[in-house]
Each structure stands twice: as structure tokens, then as C-alpha cells.
Amino acid sequence: MYLHDYLNKIMRVWNAYEGQAVARFLALQDFHVNDPNLYKENPDAAVSRQLPSPLDEIVSAHLKVVYHLMRSDPPNYTEAYRFQTSCIQAVVKLLQQMKEENWILPIMYVVSIDLRLLAAKCEQQTKSSKCGEILEKAAESLMSCFRVCAGDTRSSDEDTKRLGMLNLVNQLLKVYFRINKLHLCKPLIRAIDSSNFKDSFSLAQRITYKYFAGRKAMYDSDFKNAEEYLSFAFNNCPRRFTKNKRLILIYLTPVKMLLGYMPRKEVLERYNVLQFHDLASAVKEGNVRRFDEAIRRHEMFFINAGVYLIVEKMKIITYRNLFKKVHQILQTHQIDMNAFQTALQFSGAEDVSMDETHCIVANLIYEGRIKGYISYQHNKLVISKQNAFPNVVAA
């Protein structure tokens, strides 16, 4: 396909208002990228003769990206990224120019995704640059598109560019998680959760959004919201996407466990996350030694998944279940603190002191996992005669 034919095809679908078709001609995953006839270092003059502005700027920048990716060996990601940035700046101009029209949103989607992917490749190629710097600049370009879409409040619900917000938010969330700038996620999540269109976005986009919003809530220790977001993502993700369901489950499982729901072995087995099975068994038994062993055995898995600190929080539930067993054995609402210390030592915490035992019990009371108070004068825990150990879910 010659450049003239390529431009004619773009013009034809452009005049037919076919946003998806135009977007395909601007996607780096499309087959036209492999056509040597389109490798032009300076296509500006030819493009501007056939295409209107600012579409000509978008196409020219895209062709330059293709040139630097396909003509260089290895691909020159730095130059490709620079022209992809020019491409998205022209897209912003297009969004601003075409008021009360949203059929061009697919163009924004493909250009945004390619910008993020090129920025990531650029980070790998230019090791000298500060880690995350290029991706952060890419996020600034994506934010320019987001502001235009979010500010389109005058168009009708069918034609508003606000319908493109979630796609951009997902791209931005992926960048912010990659460069570890999670504090920048909060305003984006707030914008989507308060949007009138939050149920109008495609299911695939909503699943991606809920996955990242759930992870953010988990890191903020907002486990109830994290459970809601991640459960939506897991339940609605099609079964054939096993890898994605496994990713979601890696975060959903510890969140559910912290809320008192222990995972079934067959579910963990199906998605190859049996690392949580030993942990769940130890928590249920109140077995501190087994809990510590499970953490040690699967330490690298938890660290690489980013859930190590979340998993560590389950230790307090292990203590709660251990102390509940002490209460069931002694059958009294005034329990000597020595009994708890002995239970801890027997369960694996051999060198635990009385002060540490007091501290653990005090934390359990503070978190609402035990109803009662410590009588320091008598060195006893006085617990409620009714529901002294509330269900973890209710705590």
C-alpha cells in the first residue's frame, strides 16, 4: 500500500465518521505498520495535501513513529516516543476543535495506549534517565486528554466526551502504579465514582478500573471497599481470562481473609495461588508458628505481588483465634494473662514477654476483635459475657 492509498483510506473513513476505522490506521498494532512503503521520515507535505488539520498532524506524527520503530535497528524508542507525544498533542487539539462530537474517541484511545507502551519501552532503552521520569511525562500528556473529556459538560449524554474518561483513567492508573505514585490515583478514582456515566462504560473498562481501584483501597487499608471493587472485577472477568482472574485473586484473597472470609482450597488450586492455603489454615487454627513458616516459605511470592505487608496484618487474626481457643478451654470471663503468654509460647512465639502479651491483647481490644479490658492490678483479661470474640467480619 502506497502512502497516497493509505491517506485516501483514512480520508474515506474520516468522512464517514467511522472513529474505530480511523483509529485502526493510527494503531501501532495494525498490519499497515509492516508496510515499507509507509516508512517516511518527513511525510508532512504529502499528508497535509490530502488531510484536513489537525488530522494531518496526527497522521504525520504517527508515520514518523512508525519510521523510527521500523527503520532503526534496534528500534529508536526515544524518537518514536517523542513523535507519539506530538501525536497526542494533536489529538488534544482535535478533541477541543470538534465540539459536541465523540465519535473520535477511539482515536484518542489507541494513541494513548501506544504512548504509554512506548514510554515504558523508552524507560527500558534509556537506562540513564531517572526511573519513571518518561512515564510520568507520558501521564501529563494523558492528563491533557482527560481534562478535555472531563470538561465536556455541555454536550448531550450521547455525544459527550466524558464517555472517554474511564479509558484514560485506566491508562493513568497503570502508569501511576508502575512508577509508584499512588497518591495521584485518588482524584481519578473520585472522578469516576462520582461520574453519572460510571455504569455506561464498557464492562472490560470497568473491570480494569475496579482492579486498580481495589488495589489502591487495599493499600489504604480500606478493606471493605477493596473487597467490593476486587470482587466485581473477579466475578465479571470472563473465565477464559485465567491469567487476569489470577491477578485479581492475588489481591482479593488477602483482603477477604482480613475481613474473615477464608478461601476454599479448590479455588486457590484452580488459579495456582495455593500460597494462601497454608496461610489460611494457620490463621483458622490460631497457629502462630505455622503462620510464620507460611510467610517465610512464600516470602518472595508475597513481596513480588506487593501484598507482603497486607499478609502480615493477618497475624492479629491468628492471635485472636488462638486466644478464643484459650477462652473456650478455660470457660471463664476472667482470664489470667499468663494463660495467653503460655499459649503464645506453645504456638511458636517462644520468647514472648508479658509486656508483649499485654500489647497484643490491647491491640485486639482496640481493633474490636475482643470485647473486654485488661485489669493490670490482677493481671487478667476481663471479657464480655456475650460475644466476647466478635466475628472478624463484624469487627
Side-chain angles (χ1 to χ4, degrees):
M1 178 168 58
Y2 292 105
L3 179 60
H4 178 77
D5 300 325
Y6 169 73
L7 298 174
N8 271 343
K9 286 181 179 180
I10 291 178
M11 200 63 221
R12 199 178 304 126
V13 290
W14 175 265
N15 289 332
Y17 304 103
E18 294 178 19
Q20 292 279 9
V22 178
R24 271 199 304 277
F25 286 112
L26 297 168
L28 293 176
Q29 289 76 37
D30 191 64
F31 69 91
H32 75 269
V33 172
N34 298 313
D35 190 339
N37 292 319
L38 299 180
Y39 302 163
K40 307 290 181 187
E41 191 173 5
N42 295 300
D44 304 36
V47 174
S48 59
R49 274 197 302 271
Q50 283 186 252
L51 302 180
S53 177
L55 179 62
D56 63 335
E57 294 176 46
I58 297 170
V59 174
S60 288
H62 170 69
L63 289 170
K64 289 173 187 175
V65 172
V66 172
Y67 175 84
H68 286 289
L69 287 177
M70 306 306 287
R71 274 288 187 218
S72 306
D73 188 21
N76 189 340
Y77 289 116
T78 306
E79 282 300 295
Y81 167 73
R82 186 166 71 84
F83 285 113
Q84 190 70 20
T85 303
S86 302
C87 191
I88 204 155
Q89 286 166 354
V91 168
V92 172
K93 202 185 293 184
L94 178 70
L95 292 169
Q96 291 168 332
Q97 190 174 300
M98 300 190 71
K99 292 177 169 42
E100 299 188 18
E101 292 182 76
N102 66 5
W103 63 271
I104 50 173
L105 287 176
I107 300 170
M108 179 188 75
Y109 299 157
V110 297
V111 174
S112 301
I113 290 169
D114 286 339
L115 179 77
R116 177 178 62 81
L117 295 175
L118 279 173
K121 288 281 188 186
C122 222
E123 290 269 358
Q124 292 169 7
Q125 195 179 59
T126 55
K127 299 286 185 186
S128 56
S129 67
K130 187 181 169 187
C131 186
E133 189 177 17
I134 299 168
L135 276 163
E136 196 166 356
K137 283 182 180 168
E140 288 171 16
S141 298
L142 295 174
M143 275 304 295
S144 302
C145 290
F146 178 77
R147 288 188 198 100
V148 176
C149 292
D152 186 24
T153 54
R154 294 187 181 182
S155 304
S156 64
D157 287 357
E158 295 78 27
D159 298 323
T160 183
K161 294 181 182 71
R162 282 182 290 168
L163 290 169
M165 284 168 60
L166 189 58
N167 187 290
L168 288 167
V169 165
N170 286 340
Q171 298 304 320
L172 286 162
L173 290 174
K174 286 175 184 179
V175 172
Y176 293 148
F177 268 82
R178 179 88 177 256
I179 62 176
N180 202 24
K181 295 257 173 120
L182 300 191
H183 63 284
L184 297 172
C185 300
K186 199 170 182 179
L188 298 174
I189 292 169
R190 200 185 304 125
I192 295 300
D193 284 349
S194 62
S195 169
N196 297 331
F197 301 96
K198 63 182 176 185
D199 297 322
S200 306
F201 301 119
S202 73
L203 182 60
Q205 291 294 335
R206 282 156 63 203
I207 289 168
T208 303
Y209 167 72
K210 297 280 187 180
Y211 166 70
F212 283 106
R215 285 178 65 187
K216 175 69 172 74
M218 180 189 77
Y219 292 133
D220 290 342
S221 296
D222 182 2
F223 299 119
K224 286 189 177 171
N225 267 332
E227 193 265 337
E228 187 185 320
Y229 285 131
L230 292 167
S231 291
F232 178 94
F234 184 77
N235 294 332
N236 288 282
C237 183
R239 290 189 71 171
R240 67 182 183 277
F241 297 116
T242 313
K243 186 182 174 185
N244 289 354
K245 285 184 85 80
R246 180 179 184 271
L247 269 177
I248 299 164
L249 200 61
I250 284 171
Y251 301 100
L252 180 58
T253 303
V255 166
K256 284 265 197 188
M257 287 171 72
L258 282 165
L259 291 173
Y261 303 101
M262 294 299 147
R264 297 199 311 273
K265 187 178 180 180
E266 55 267 30
V267 176
L268 299 177
E269 210 162 21
R270 187 185 312 152
Y271 294 103
N272 192 25
V273 283
L274 274 170
Q275 292 89 342
F276 290 105
H277 176 65
D278 293 343
L279 211 60
S281 301
V283 172
K284 269 195 279 192
E285 291 170 15
N287 191 327
V288 180
R289 183 184 288 105
R290 193 173 170 188
F291 180 89
D292 289 339
E293 283 170 1
I295 290 273
R296 266 195 306 275
R297 194 180 312 121
H298 306 299
E299 184 178 42
M300 286 317 298
F301 169 79
F302 295 136
I303 290 171
N304 292 334
V307 295
Y308 185 83
L309 294 177
I310 305 299
V311 163
E312 274 283 341
K313 289 175 187 267
M314 291 177 206
K315 198 162 193 175
I316 198 80
I317 304 173
T318 313
Y319 289 140
R320 176 250 184 214
N321 291 343
L322 174 65
F323 293 168
K324 186 178 180 182
K325 285 184 175 180
V326 172
H327 165 60
Q328 288 169 340
I329 291 166
L330 297 178
Q331 289 294 311
T332 174
H333 67 280
Q334 292 186 5
I335 306 168
D336 197 307
M337 292 297 289
N338 287 305
F340 291 134
Q341 186 183 17
T342 303
L344 286 168
Q345 288 169 342
F346 179 76
S347 185
E350 287 91 352
D351 56 349
V352 69
S353 67
M354 182 53 72
D355 285 342
E356 286 172 312
T357 305
H358 275 267
C359 188
I360 292 167
V361 173
N363 276 326
L364 285 164
I365 294 168
Y366 173 75
E367 289 188 14
R369 300 189 190 279
I370 294 178
K371 285 185 183 175
Y373 63 91
I374 299 171
S375 169
Y376 287 96
Q377 188 179 354
H378 301 99
N379 197 36
K380 287 188 175 182
L381 171 68
V382 182
I383 56 173
S384 169
K385 290 183 180 179
Q386 291 185 332
N387 196 22
F389 293 84
N391 288 335
V392 175
V393 182

